[in-house]
Amino acid sequence: MDELFPNAEIESRPPPVVESEHSETDEGLDRKAKGAARKGEPEKFRPTLLPAADGRDSTSEGAARILIDDSSDLELWYGLPAGLAPRVAVGSRVYVPLRNKRAVGTVVGLGSPADAGEGDFQLKPLGGLVDDAPVFTKGLLDLADWVATYYCANRDAVMRSVLPAAVRGDRHSAQSQLFASIRRKPEADEIDAISRRAPRQSSILRELIDAGEALPVTQFGAGAIKPLRGLEEKGWVQLEEKVIDRDPTADEEFVATSALELTAAQESAMAVVRKAIRAQGDSKPVLLYGVTGSGKTELYLQAIEEVVATGKSALVMVPEIALTPQTVHRFKGRFADTDTEVAVLHSHLSQGERFDEWRKIRDGRARIAVGPRSAIFAPFDDLGLIVVDEEHEPSYKQDISPRYNARDIAVVRAHLENCAVVLGSATPCLESWNNVESGKYDLARLDERIDDRELPIIRIVDMRREHRKGGGPAILSERLRSALDQRLERGEQSILFLNRRGFASSLVCPACGHVCECPHCSVSLTFHRSEDRLICHVCGFQQIGPRKCPECGDPSIRFAGYGTERAEEIFRSVYPDARIARVDADTMRRKNQLRETLDAFKRQKIDMLIGTQMIAKGLHFPNVTLVGILNADISLHVGDFRSGERTFQLLTQVAGRAGRGELKGEVIVQTHTPQSPAIQFSRHHDFIGFSEQELEFRKQFDFPPFFHAVQIMCRSSNERLAEFTLESLHKRLVPSIGESVIVGEPAPATLAKAAGQFRFQLLLRGKSARAMGRTIREVLRGMNVPDDVTVTIDVDPMAIG
Ligand code: ADP
Ligand code: ZN
C-alpha cells in the first residue's frame, strides 16, 4: 500500500488514533476536557462506570462506543437500552449522559468493552438517538480515522469537518410542509355524491385527481385543511408532512445541454477514464493533464453520465474560487433534463441550505455533487467516480486543523470506497506528475485546445527597462498600453490581473524610510484608499491612513507598490471612456455581486476587468483577447520551495483566459525577473520542460515530491516561550525520529509574528509522513507544553514558512 500513493500514504486498517495533547486550543477545543482524552488511562473512563447497585445488567443489549462531540477525542462506552438497540448503528448520532449533563456524540463502535479488551464493567445507558438513521456512513468514519492519523489531527476536529455544523447540531432545520395526495380514486358517481354533501371536498378531490401528484395543502387556499381532513377520514386522501428543499439556485433556470461529440483526443483520454470507472477501484488514479480549453470539463460531464447510468454517484471537486455561476450552470445544465439531481456545496450556503444539500446526498436523491474542499466528505455511499478539477490548487489544502489536502483525500477515499478518481489540471502539481512518471498514476492527455484554437501568444515585458525609460505609470508598460488601445478600438475585451488587493502595499516615508507596519504582525499594512484605512491582510487590524509620517512627522509619506484598487484608478485615468470594473474581495462583499459583474462582462458591458485570483480561473469569455499580468513577481519572492511552481501555475491559468473564442488571444506579462524559469517556461506553454527542471531541483535538495515535509510550529504571545518550547521539542525529536529523516533547525517563521503571536517553526523531511507523524505525536505526549503555547503540525504543507 505504502508505495502505491506516496503522496498520501494509505494503510488499509487505520491504526488507533493517538490523541494530540497539542490540540489546537485556539480553535475552539475544550481545554479542560483535554486531560480526559487519552485512551488507556482507566481513571478517565470512570465517570461512566456505575456500580452494579441494582444488580441489573444494562449491557445485556450490548454497548456502543461513543466519540463525544467537542471533547478532544473522549471516547466512552454506553449501554444500549432494549428499545434503542436495534436502531443504533455505527455512525448514529446519540445523546449520552456525561458529568450530569447531556452530551451529543457519534457511535464509532458496537459490542462491549470486554470484547474490546477494555475490561467488563457496568455502563450508563445511552440517552437516545439524535437522528433516526445514522448520519455517518461507514466509509466516512474510516476516512475520518485516516485523516486524523495522517494529518496528526484531533479526531473530533476531523469529525467536525466531515459533518457540517448544519447537520451536526441536534436542532435540525429541515423545512417540512403538509402535502395531500389521492389515496383511493373515486368513481364518477362517488364524486357526484360527495359534491352534493360537501362541494368544497369534491372540488379539492378533482384538483388532486387532475394534478396526479401530491400537492402542498397551502395550494388549496385558506380553510382547506378542514375539508381535507374530512377526505382523509373517509379514506380518499392521504395527508403527509414532507421535507421540502431550500434550493439555493431555485430562482435560476438551467438550460439543458446535451453531450458534445468527443474529439479524437477526448475519446482516447475518455478511454483511460472509462477503464478506471469500470475497474471499480481496481485501477490507478488517473491524472488528466490537459491545457486550458482542451475539453476536460466536457470529459468530466460525460464520465459522470456514464457513472450515473450504472446507478452510482459522482463527486466533483472544484476550487472554491472556480465554483462560479458558470461552473454551476455547466453541471446543472447537463443534467437539467434528467431526474438526476446535482447538489451544489458552496461554502457560503446558509445553514438551512447546507443541511438540505447534505440530506439530498445522504438520502440518495442527489447523485452528483459539486463542491470545494469540504465536499470531499459528501455523504455518498455508492461512489463510482471522484473528479478533482484543478488538482494543483492550493485551496484544496485547509489551513486550520485538520490540515488536510482534499486532493489527497480524494485518492484515499476512492481507494477505500473502490471507485475511480480523476485528477485534472493544465498544470498538475509536481507530486501528481511525479506519480505519473513513476507509474503510480495513469496519464490521460489533452494536448490541443478544442477546434485547434491556438494557445495565446505570451509576451514578456521587462519592467526594469520600462522604468529606465521613465514616462507612464509603473504598472502600465508601453506594450500593454498599445495592446489595450487596440482592444478598445476593436471592441474586444481585456482582463488585467494583479495578485494583490487594496491600493498600495505599504506606506513609506521618503525622509526617514519608515514603513507603516501592523503592530500585531510582522508585515506592512496595506493602504485601502476608498476606506482611507491601513489594513493588515494577516490579522485584519485597521487604522486611519496617516497624513504624515508617524515616525518623523514628514508630510510627504508615499505609497509603495500596487494593489487592484490603485490599478483601477490608474486605468480609469488613462482610459476615461473605457468601461472598467474591479473584482476582488473588497468589491465583491455583497452576495450575487460577483455573478452580476461577470454577467455584465459576458454581455460585453465591460471593456476591462481588473482583479485578483478571483478572475484567474474557470471563466470562459469568448470575446476576451487580451490578458495583462500587471506584476508577475509577487508570488515569486515568497522564498518557498513551491514559489516557482506557483508562479508557473498562476501565469498559465491566467493566460488560459485569453482567446477562448474565435479570436486569437494575447497575454502580456510584466515582470522584474524576466529570466526566471517559471516565466520563461510558461511563455512557451511548456509544462513538461518546467516540471523536468523543477523536479531536478527538488530532487537535489530533498524536497517534495521526493520527500514528505512536516512543518511543526510553536506560537505564543510570549516569544521566549514559543522558541523554548520548539527547541526542547527539537532536542527530543532528534534522537527518536530515525536517521533517514532530515530534521531542520528551529527558526522564526517567515511570518515571524501574526495576530500578536510569535511563530517559530521546524521542518522535517522524510520518506514516510505517517512515520514522522507518529514520532512527533509520541514525543509531544511525553512533553509538557506550556498552556499559552500552541503547537501545530502541518503534514505535506502547501508552503513552508
Ligand atoms: P477545459 O475544462 O479543459 O478548460 P472545456 O471542457 O471547458 O475545457 O472546453 C472548452 C470549450 O470547448 C468549451 O466551450 C466546451 O463547450 C467546448 N468543447 C469541449 N469539448 C467539445 C467537443 N467535443 N466538441 C465541441 N466543443 C467542445
Ligand atoms: Zn496584523
Side-chain angles (χ1 to χ4, degrees), residues 207-222:
E207 213 172 311
L208 275 172
I209 294 168
D210 287 347
E213 60 179 359
L215 294 176
V217 167
T218 48
Q219 188 158 327
F220 302 102

Side-chain angles (χ1 to χ4, degrees), residues 315-319 369 371-376 386-390 396 406 410:
L315 172 57
V316 184
M317 309 288 300
V318 294
R373 185 172 65 219
S374 60
I376 193 58
I386 305 176
V387 170
V388 184
D389 191 26
E390 314 273 15
Y396 283 128

Side-chain angles (χ1 to χ4, degrees), residues 463 466-467 471-478 480-481 484 496-500 503 561-564 566-571 574 628-632 634 668 670 672:
M463 293 306 275
E466 202 74 17
H467 290 322
I475 194 111
L476 180 56
S477 60
E478 270 176 29
L480 180 57
R481 194 173 183 151
L484 281 166
L496 298 164
F497 177 82
L498 183 57
N499 201 7
R500 184 185 280 137
F503 190 83
Y562 292 84
T564 43
R566 190 173 182 189
E568 182 190 6
E569 192 181 281
I570 289 168
F571 285 96
V574 178
I629 295 169
L630 300 183
N631 181 355
I634 294 178
I668 293 180
Q670 303 186 148
H672 288 87

